[in-house]
Structure formats: C-alpha cells, structure tokens
C-alpha cells in the first residue's frame, strides 16, 4: 500500500451535488483500482491511486479519454449510447414501454450501450405523457434531447481540456456560455423555450462533464419500485411525500469502487438509510452507527466506513437545478454489530489464520 499516491482535489467539494457527482464520475474513468474519501474539515475529495500521483496526471489521463471518444459518440469507451437523433426526428431515447425492448436491442449491438441505457431509462414506469421514466439526474430543457446531456459537456471540455479539467479538480472558474445541465445549482440558465443546446452561462465545464459520467452509478438497479405502490427510483433517490430527494454520504475511509457498490446497495437497495422530514422542514437521514466494509489494506478485516455526514439535494420542479437542502444526520444503534475505526495505511493487521470461512461463506 506504500505505492499508493494521495491526490487531493480541492475543487470537488462533497456537499455540493456537482462536486460529489464529479468525483464519482472521475473515479469511474480512472481504469484502475483507486480509493475515494473526503476531508472531514472542508469536505474536498481525496483519491488514492497507484498510477496517478498528481492532478496533472489525472488531467493527462482524462484528456486521453476525451481524445479516444469516436466521432459522433459522447461517452468514453461507449459507442452505442446515446443514440443520435436524425434531423427532424423525435428524441430516440424518449420511448414508450412497448418500444423499449427494441431500443435496448439496438444499443446492445455496440460497446457499452446497454449498460448506459438501463441506467438512464426504465420501462417499469411511465411519465405523465406515457413515455418511459428517465433518471432524474438527466434533466434537459426546451428542445434538448437526452443525448445532449452527455454530448454538449464533452464538447465544451474538448475546447480546452487541460485548463478546464484542471480547474474542475482544483478551483472552479465559471465559463460564460457553458451550461451546468441542471446539475449545478450555482449556474445560470437560459429560459428560452426553444433552447436546443447550451444556452446557460456561468457553469464549470470540466466538473459538469465528469458529473454526467456518474449516471451509471446512480442507475435503475435498486429494488425500490418493485413492490406495489412504491415509486420507481434509481440508486440514490428517495420519495419523500410528493418530492424526490437525492441522498448521499461523505466518508473518511478510502473506499474502492467495489466497496462503494456494496455501500450503495446497503444504503439504497436494502433500505438501510431512512429519510424523513423534521417539523421545521429540515430533512433527517437516519443511518447506522457504523458501516462495516473491508479495510482497504486488509480485505479480511471489516472496519467502519467513517460516514461523517449525509447530504441531500432536490429539484424544484422538473426544470430546476439539483439544489442542496439542509440535512441532519441521525445515528441509530445497530442491533447486530459495530465496526472499529480504520487504523490507517501503515497499520499492520494481524494474521487472520487459516480458519473455515476466512474468505466468506461457501
């Protein structure tokens, strides 16, 4: 573990929806086992990587990812999604349940398309117009297509990738004419009803692009919506009265993508996190006292993830940006077990011995 490099990302602040999503999107693009956590004081993202030792290294890698995106595509390593709209035709990703299967077969013929479509659009529910429900992270306005959500942020960053990506990871600078795609509550947006492409101003292109790449982490994989009467919501979202709320933790333990997948599954899919509202309107997130996960330097030892706060954001109407809301974190005692704090990279875990079940059941 001594070969791991710590890279602080002061531009990605975890209690900002855009900052959190951008950190997750960045982690998905590294193509290596990396570890993500958050500074308890100012809540900036911290990455531990083997191949990358600085922000400049990360920017170099992301720039190469941009260069590899094929003509007409928008997402690294993905050629089948989003589907491009023919001139004058309707949005190809806005389909009714009867047409969803054929769309799924179409995008599955190319690399990565099926994974992205299933995270973005679900046929398990319809909107008021009878179309398949779209992931609430993917908000578009006017005459924009769903594919615009990925295409235009990618195009913006390509204009000056090294500068814009460095600014995204270190200190945000807003760029006139760049839109936050309703992920950035501090950006300004055009209200023109015929909006076709980026029409807002004051957004952070690099952070927006990275945030759009986090959609598959927050896709339609949870069981919420299977039971009768429950809403169909993707990972991270909770229905609270008539409002949908995006809820996420900040933690101190360096966690890999595999560990975080288990955390999302426990917190969202298994309903281990509860969300309600105080009398004064403040949201209250109820979570366990500790969350046990494998230690990053010893998979045979379970330690506390170190969640120090829960954050939430909502959209005010379908056209509103994802906006943070005050959230209180309530700890409830775990009736089964608790987990010790992680002792750090250099601490030597004792030999677990060759006992039955050392590597799990079975």
């Amino acid at each position: 573990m001594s070969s791991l490099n710590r890279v602080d990302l002061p531009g990605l602040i975890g209690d900002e929806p855009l900052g959190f999503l951008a950190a997750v999107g960045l982690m998905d693009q590294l193509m290596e086992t990396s570890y993500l956590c958050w500074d308890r004081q100012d809540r900036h993202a911290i990455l531990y990587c083997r191949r990358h030792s600085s922000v400049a290294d990360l920017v170099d890698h992301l720039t190469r990812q941009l260069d590899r995106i094929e003509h007409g595509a928008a997402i690294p390593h993905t050629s089948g999604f989003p589907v491009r709209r023919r001139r004058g035709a309707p949005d190809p990703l806005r389909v009714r349940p009867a047409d969803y299967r054929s769309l799924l077969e179409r995008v599955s013929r190319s690399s990565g398309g099926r994974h992205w479509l299933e995270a973005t659009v679900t046929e398990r529910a319809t909107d008021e117009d009878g179309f398949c429900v779209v992931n609430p992270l993917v908000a578009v306005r006017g005459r924009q297509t769903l594919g615009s959500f990925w295409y235009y942020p990618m195009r913006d960053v390509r204009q000056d990738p090294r500068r814009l990506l460095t600014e995204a990871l270190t200190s945000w600078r807003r760029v006139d004419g760049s839109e936050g795609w309703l992920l950035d509550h501090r950006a300004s947006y055009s209200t023109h009803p015929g909006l076709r492409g980026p029409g807002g101003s004051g957004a952070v292109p690099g952070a927006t692009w990275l945030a759009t790449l986090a959609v598959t982490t927050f896709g339609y994989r949870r069981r919420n919506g299977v039971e009768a009467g429950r809403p169909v919501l993707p990972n991270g979202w909770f229905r609270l009265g008539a409002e949908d709320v995006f809820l996420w933790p900040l933690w101190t333990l360096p966690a890999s993508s595999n560990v975080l997948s288990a955390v999302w599954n426990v917190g969202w899919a298994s309903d281990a996190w509860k969300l309600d509202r105080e009398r004064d309107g403040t949201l209250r997130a109820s979570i366990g006292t500790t969350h046990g996960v494998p230690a990053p330097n010893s998979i045979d030892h379970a330690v506390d993830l170190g969640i120090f706060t829960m954050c939430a954001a909502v959209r005010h109407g379908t056209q509103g940006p994802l906006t943070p809301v005050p959230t209180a974190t309530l700890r409830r005692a775990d009736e089964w077990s608790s987990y010790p704090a992680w002792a750090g990279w250099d601490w030597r875990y004792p030999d677990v011995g060759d006992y039955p079940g050392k590597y799990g059941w079975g």
Side-chain angles (χ1 to χ4, degrees):
M1 290 300 175
S2 60
S3 62
L4 285 174
N5 304 298
R6 171 173 169 154
V7 184
D8 286 75
L9 306 173
L12 303 184
I13 305 302
D15 53 11
E16 294 268 341
L18 184 63
F20 174 75
L21 291 169
V24 174
L26 167 63
M27 197 177 182
D28 287 346
Q29 294 301 311
L30 291 186
M31 312 300 290
E32 69 161 307
T33 299
S34 57
Y35 301 83
L36 174 66
C37 61
W38 306 88
D39 183 86
R40 185 183 288 270
Q41 299 303 316
D42 68 5
R43 303 184 176 186
H44 74 267
I46 303 169
L47 276 180
Y48 289 89
C49 310
R50 287 187 174 85
R51 291 190 296 168
H52 307 97
S53 60
S54 65
V55 168
D57 286 349
L58 296 175
V59 170
D60 286 344
H61 175 78
L62 292 172
T63 301
R64 290 193 295 270
Q65 296 283 75
L66 273 171
D67 292 340
R68 293 191 184 105
I69 297 176
E70 301 173 1
H71 176 72
I75 300 172
H77 309 290
T78 304
S79 57
F81 184 92
V83 180
R84 299 182 66 184
R85 177 172 64 179
R86 297 191 303 272
R87 183 177 296 274
D91 187 342
L93 297 179
R94 293 283 286 150
V95 297
R96 301 186 187 276
D99 301 318
Y100 181 84
R101 187 56 50 185
S102 61
L103 175 62
L104 185 62
E105 293 174 355
R106 176 183 176 182
V107 301
S108 297
R109 300 187 192 111
S110 302
S111 172
R114 184 186 186 101
H115 181 54
W116 280 91
L117 177 63
E118 290 181 331
T120 304
V121 182
T122 179
E123 82 283 16
R124 290 190 290 153
T126 57
D127 59 21
E128 59 274 11
D129 297 319
F131 291 100
C132 292
V133 167
V134 175
N135 192 312
L137 284 180
V138 185
V140 296
R141 300 169 298 114
R143 299 178 64 182
Q144 297 164 344
T145 65
L146 296 181
S148 301
F149 178 81
W150 291 278
Y151 176 75
Y152 284 107
M154 178 273 297
R155 191 188 69 170
D156 284 352
V157 176
R158 268 185 164 173
Q159 294 178 9
D160 193 355
R162 294 189 182 279
R163 176 177 68 84
L164 295 175
L165 289 169
T166 299
E167 290 175 353
L169 302 182
T170 57
S171 57
W172 288 5
R173 186 182 71 86
R174 298 187 175 275
V175 177
D176 290 342
S178 178
E179 186 174 345
W181 292 91
L182 300 179
L183 297 174
D184 184 355
H185 69 288
R186 301 185 189 277
S188 57
Y189 295 89
S190 169
T191 58
H192 192 282
L195 183 67
R196 290 178 178 272
S201 61
V204 186
T208 303
W209 177 61
L210 290 172
T212 65
L213 301 179
V215 169
T216 52
T217 298
F218 308 102
Y220 288 98
R221 292 191 296 270
R222 63 181 295 186
R223 65 179 178 85
N224 190 5
V226 174
E227 297 89 342
R230 297 191 65 187
V232 175
L233 294 171
N235 283 343
W237 291 85
F238 290 77
R239 175 64 52 82
L240 192 59
E243 196 170 44
D244 291 340
V245 181
F246 184 53
L247 180 73
W248 69 94
L250 298 181
W251 60 92
T252 58
L253 176 77
S256 67
S257 293
N258 287 339
V259 168
L260 292 179
S261 293
V263 172
W264 308 147
N265 186 61
V266 170
W268 295 326
S270 299
D271 296 327
W273 297 341
K274 307 291 184 181
L275 188 64
D276 57 18
R277 197 180 295 276
E278 303 277 10
R279 290 183 178 180
D280 62 359
T282 301
L283 295 182
R284 181 178 63 184
S286 175
I287 66 174
T289 303
T290 60
H291 288 68
V293 297
N297 51 335
S298 176
I299 62 173
D300 294 313
H301 291 81
V303 293
D304 182 22
L305 180 62
I307 294 176
F308 58 89
T309 192
M310 300 293 289
C311 307
V314 299
R315 293 195 186 282
H316 298 295
T318 58
Q319 301 300 305
L322 197 59
T323 304
V325 291
T327 306
T329 304
L330 174 66
R331 306 279 180 168
R332 63 176 186 272
D334 191 324
E335 59 180 314
W336 301 110
S337 58
S338 61
Y339 300 90
W342 181 56
W345 291 114
D346 298 328
W347 190 69
R348 298 247 178 221
Y349 282 90
D351 183 10
V352 295
D354 190 16
Y355 59 85
K358 172 181 176 182
Y359 299 109
W361 297 100

